[in-house]
Amino acid sequence: MASYSELYGNWKSDPEAFWMEASGLIDWVKKPSKALFDEKAPLYEWYLDGVMNTCFNAVDRHVEAGDGDRVAVVHDSAMTGQKRKITFAEMQEATARLGGALQAKGVGKGDRVIIYMPMVAEAAIAMLACARIGAVHSVVFGGFAANELATRIDDCTPKAILAGSCGLEPGRIVEYKTLLDGAIELAEHKPDFTVILQRPEKNADLIAGRDFEWNAFQEGAPLADCMPMGGGDPLYILYTSGTTGQPKGVIRPNAGHAVALTWTMPNLYGVNEGETFWAASDVGWVVGHSYIVYAPLLAGCTSVMFEGKPVGTPDAGTFWRVISENNVKSFFTAPTAFRAIKREDPKGDFVKKYDLSCLQALFLAGERSDPDTIHWAQDQLGVPVVDHWWQTEVGWSITAIPLGFDQMNIKIGSTGVGMPGYDVQILGDDGHELPAGELGAVAVKLPLPPGTFPTLWNAEARFKKSYLEAFPGYYETGDAGIKDEDGYLYIMARTDDVINVAGHRLSTGQMEEVLASHADVAECAVVGVADDLKGQNAVGFLCLNSGCDRSEADIVKECVQLIRDQIGPVAAFKQSLVVDRLPKTRSGKILRGTIAKIAEGESYKMPATIDDPVILDEIETALRRIGYPK
Ligand code: COA
Ligand code: AMP
């Protein structure tokens, strides 16, 4: 086995040769003449003159290689108790049929298709069917409200929307179709048509002429071939939170994505063709795109799609059942899921009930992993626990411990070392690299590797401003961290107002925009406060208009509901409090970091530029009333 330093050295000494060699991992209609296209620097693209198709590489090529009977997707619903296995050959038929039906209704190469579906196998089929015909999918997470869906409809102007009639959450049915109808009503752009997968738990009413039932829509449709796609043609747009209410549409081009993700399966996750990989996430997030759908299938692995929760569906042993039943070799989830399991089953009684000898490693990402959780997972599972770091923007891991290589120690608290393609540096405010051990902005030297993003959908100026301007020549990640003497990275915090609640990336700026729209709110701040289970929780601070004589409790309730209605339950926004004033610097900047420290019961340094220190005492008293610090 080669060593990590050889791997990284190989890439660094000749990136072009490294990525040309990696391009051999996928099948091309026409091979690219070179890997990097830097003519438009600082915008970079990969494999631009190559021609390929992502669905062909994820599905058809395995059938052509004689592996059509191998299971591609195992769908396991802890919500309904149903289990279903779909082979690569069945996947080929299903994606060709849906792709053919979409083409027959006028959806072609480059057209956008929104997918708003729960964790059912049809969500993966829908994504791959779009990839097959060259349509650009944009999956929207089910926990978002109609308003968020409407924003995305207006931004990417889809020709069609593929949706489920409902999603299943513990104790309630989420009526996706009702949310979809509301979103289409709210949006200025109207899709030509929708296709609705009716789930038996809740059938949806269909609007004649606009809504088509999933199976009827596809009946008798011709089977679509795989559309030859240029290497730089977009495969998907995935929206993620930024600093404002307008989400950022991350574009993922076809070829670099297929090459990079295929590379990661054996080299990073230690999983080979024919073996089983499970990412317990949701297709609405980047982890779901990359590691539930694309990477495992591109590499010819079996992927598990799980509908359920780590606890309560029905118990804290669900994950272990799924691993042992499906012979999962590498498992990937968010630390919050492990914290939930550990809280219910601290002694690991459920772990002992299952034969987990198939499991080789656990991968964690999406938020900071606390050392306690990592130790617990290591002790219980007896396998390496790899904390690795990445973002929606980049689509695959920036730092990790790659299991396909030798000589790597795991350092608890660190997210590992740079993957090939990523030259990660810690920069000071002046843009110079800081010495090992010093905290600074985490930046990646341009170009970013294949599989990342060349720009934002319809927002090139925003792309440059958000990511490229702070440190010329670098991609600004928005995270702050430290690199140690051995090159291991430690991610400490965000440098912007993005917070992370249960592995879900949320914008406090966006929540503030919603709260500020309440008629009685004059000013507000939303702060991410550390939470034992979810990593962080959003807490709102409201200053009311002078003369407002309505009940504070009513206003707080309305504000909580407003966020649920406008952003969605995923914001998990449950706590707000009314305060007279917000602590600010003399230049008017709200001291969110100081408020968070007070809520967490941590000591803090009185900011030198604070306008009026007494306000901090008022905030502390107000927080005590709602139980902080916990
Ligand atoms: N559709 C509709 N609603 C959804 C949803 C979906 N796909 N996913 C979550 N929600 C809702 C939940 O029902 C909950 O609503 P509620 O306020 O009515 O209870 C709300 O959004 C918050 O959900 P969540 O933060 O997930 O909390 P939870 O209490 O349902 O579960 C954990 C807590 C820790 C078990 C859960 O957060 C978890 O497993 N997280 C894993 C995170 C993950 O996979 N992240 C992906 C990045 S790798
Ligand atoms: P998302 O785009 O939703 O994947 O969120 C990306 C952000 O989540 C990163 O910028 C980090 O702030 C955080 N994050 C992801 N993985 C990790 C990790 N392993 N450790 C710490 N933070 C992480």
Side-chain angles (χ1 to χ4, degrees):
M1 202 187 261
S3 71
Y4 162 76
S5 45
E6 272 173 67
L7 163 76
Y8 198 74
N10 273 348
W11 162 69
K12 215 160 178 193
S13 63
D14 193 346
E16 179 69 19
F18 183 92
W19 291 118
M20 278 311 272
E21 191 186 330
S23 74
L25 294 170
I26 67 163
D27 285 7
W28 298 86
V29 176
K30 178 178 160 271
K31 289 194 169 145
S33 63
K34 59 175 184 166
L36 180 65
F37 287 71
D38 57 3
E39 292 76 7
K40 287 194 249 154
L43 306 188
Y44 297 91
E45 292 182 277
W46 293 91
Y47 309 119
L48 219 49
D49 64 357
V51 178
M52 47 76 73
N53 181 282
T54 297
C55 182
F56 179 84
N57 276 282
V59 178
D60 297 52
R61 73 162 165 163
H62 307 306
V63 180
E64 287 186 7
D67 296 319
D69 291 340
R70 182 187 297 156
V71 175
V73 172
V74 176
H75 180 253
D76 184 308
S77 174
M79 304 304 297
T80 65
Q82 279 167 353
K83 293 171 200 171
R84 177 182 170 197
K85 290 186 174 167
I86 304 172
T87 64
F88 279 99
E90 287 165 342
M91 209 64 184
Q92 185 181 35
E93 151 89 24
T95 55
R97 183 76 65 202
L98 178 57
L102 288 168
Q103 280 176 331
K105 282 284 288 174
V107 178
K109 186 171 171 173
D111 290 333
R112 274 79 57 211
V113 173
I114 279 188
I115 298 173
Y116 187 57
M117 297 185 85
M119 284 293 288
V120 290
E122 285 79 1
I125 292 169
M127 291 163 76
L128 288 159
C130 290
R132 189 173 192 92
I133 62 169
V136 182
H137 64 67
S138 187
V139 183
V140 179
F141 179 61
F144 282 123
N147 187 54
E148 285 290 299
L149 180 53
T151 308
R152 287 154 174 78
I153 293 174
D154 278 334
D155 197 65
C156 77
T157 58
K159 224 173 203 175
I161 300 185
L162 311 182
S165 60
C166 69
L168 307 175
E169 285 293 296
R172 76 189 165 101
I173 289 177
V174 185
E175 296 190 16
Y176 279 44
K177 178 57 167 50
T178 312
L179 290 163
L180 174 62
D181 289 342
I184 294 178
E185 178 112 14
L186 281 171
E188 272 177 38
H189 170 84
K190 309 292 174 197
D192 292 353
F193 64 96
T194 79
V195 186
I196 308 295
L197 176 77
Q198 296 281 22
R199 299 191 78 185
E201 292 76 15
K202 174 80 200 172
N203 264 274
D205 294 334
L206 303 184
I207 297 173
R210 189 198 75 180
D211 302 334
F212 297 88
E213 190 277 323
W214 190 268
N215 295 313
F217 175 74
Q218 300 180 58
E219 225 167 76
L223 296 177
D225 284 336
C226 292
M227 178 71 69
M229 302 297 289
D233 288 338
L235 169 68
Y236 68 76
I237 302 165
L238 180 58
Y239 288 91
T240 190
S241 299
T243 46
T244 66
Q246 181 68 27
K248 297 168 169 171
V250 168
I251 296 179
R252 193 83 61 215
N254 272 279
H257 173 257
V259 170
L261 292 193
T262 309
W263 183 89
T264 61
M265 289 307 288
N267 292 306
L268 202 166
Y269 295 101
V271 180
N272 298 303
E273 195 173 349
E275 296 177 331
T276 303
F277 185 80
W278 178 25
S281 178
D282 188 288
V283 285
W285 306 119
V286 70
V287 173
H289 279 62
S290 294
Y291 289 103
I292 294 174
V293 180
Y294 287 110
L297 301 191
L298 283 162
C301 301
T302 299
S303 178
V304 178
M305 251 183 119
F306 172 73
E307 183 183 43
K309 303 272 171 183
V311 293
T313 60
D315 55 39
T318 302
F319 275 12
W320 322 134
R321 172 187 67 74
V322 174
I323 290 171
S324 81
E325 277 180 11
N326 294 293
N327 212 22
V328 171
K329 191 172 177 199
S330 258
F331 175 45
F332 179 166
T333 192
T336 192
F338 263 79
R339 288 196 294 268
I341 294 171
K342 177 171 146 233
R343 196 161 77 167
E344 295 256 315
D345 184 23
K347 296 209 185 94
D349 292 335
F350 280 106
V351 185
K352 294 180 194 93
K353 285 190 184 170
Y354 297 92
D355 175 5
L356 301 178
S357 53
C358 54
L359 191 68
Q360 178 190 279
L362 166 68
F363 285 84
L364 297 174
E367 54 168 337
R368 211 182 113 70
S369 287
D370 54 289
D372 266 6
T373 303
I374 297 188
H375 282 300
W376 186 85
Q378 265 177 352
D379 292 348
Q380 295 300 330
L381 301 176
V383 297
V385 178
V386 178
D387 180 11
H388 63 328
W389 169 64
W390 49 303
Q391 314 180 301
T392 305
E393 286 85 344
V394 297
W396 63 287
S397 199
I398 305 175
T399 61
I401 299 292
L403 289 196
F405 295 84
D406 221 353
Q407 297 176 5
M408 292 303 295
N409 290 324
I410 290 175
K411 295 194 190 182
I412 290 185
S414 162
T415 61
V417 290
M419 290 297 94
Y422 293 103
D423 181 356
V424 183
Q425 300 187 10
I426 308 296
L427 305 182
D429 291 342
D430 61 358
H432 284 101
E433 193 171 4
L434 295 174
E438 280 191 31
L439 178 71
V442 186
V444 183
K445 206 156 191 317
L446 294 173
L448 291 173
T452 56
F453 69 143
T455 186
L456 293 173
W457 181 256
N458 278 341
E460 192 168 299
R462 187 177 184 195
F463 170 75
K464 289 182 174 157
K465 188 163 181 289
S466 308
Y467 302 109
L468 306 183
E469 277 177 10
F471 305 113
Y474 291 86
Y475 162 73
E476 185 192 9
T477 65
D479 284 313
I482 294 169
K483 220 159 83 166
D484 72 10
E485 300 282 352
D486 303 323
Y488 282 66
L489 185 71
Y490 297 75
I491 295 292
M492 308 308 286
R494 288 288 301 190
T495 55
D496 53 16
D497 64 358
V498 165
I499 60 169
N500 204 310
V501 180
H504 307 317
R505 173 170 159 180
L506 300 164
S507 162
T508 53
Q510 181 187 17
M511 293 188 217
E512 286 170 6
E513 281 175 32
V514 173
L515 294 178
S517 72
H518 188 288
D520 295 319
V521 173
E523 198 181 15
C524 62
V526 173
V527 174
V529 176
D531 180 83
D532 279 352
L533 176 64
K534 296 195 173 189
Q536 280 184 301
N537 245 333
V539 180
F541 295 82
L542 312 169
C543 299
L544 305 185
N545 289 321
S546 63
C548 170
D549 55 3
R550 295 191 54 224
S551 133
E552 287 185 6
D554 283 352
I555 296 172
V556 162
K557 222 161 116 192
E558 287 161 14
C559 282
V560 167
Q561 192 60 38
L562 202 58
I563 298 246
R564 196 173 171 96
D565 292 346
Q566 296 280 312
I567 299 179
V570 65
F573 184 84
K574 304 255 155 91
Q575 280 186 316
S576 241
L577 65 164
V578 173
V579 292
D580 284 339
R581 302 176 293 172
L582 293 169
K584 291 182 188 169
T585 61
R586 270 176 236 121
S587 60
K589 199 168 167 282
I590 298 172
L591 293 162
R592 292 182 181 77
T594 312
I595 301 179
K597 285 216 158 60
I598 295 173
E600 288 157 9
E602 281 198 21
S603 59
Y604 60 89
K605 237 178 53 206
M606 181 65 68
T609 54
I610 190 163
D611 188 30
D612 181 357
V614 175
I615 305 179
L616 293 180
D617 297 334
E618 294 170 12
I619 294 282
E620 192 168 346
T621 310
L623 277 164
R624 281 228 182 85
R625 283 205 305 271
I626 61 163
Y628 284 97
K630 296 225 183 255

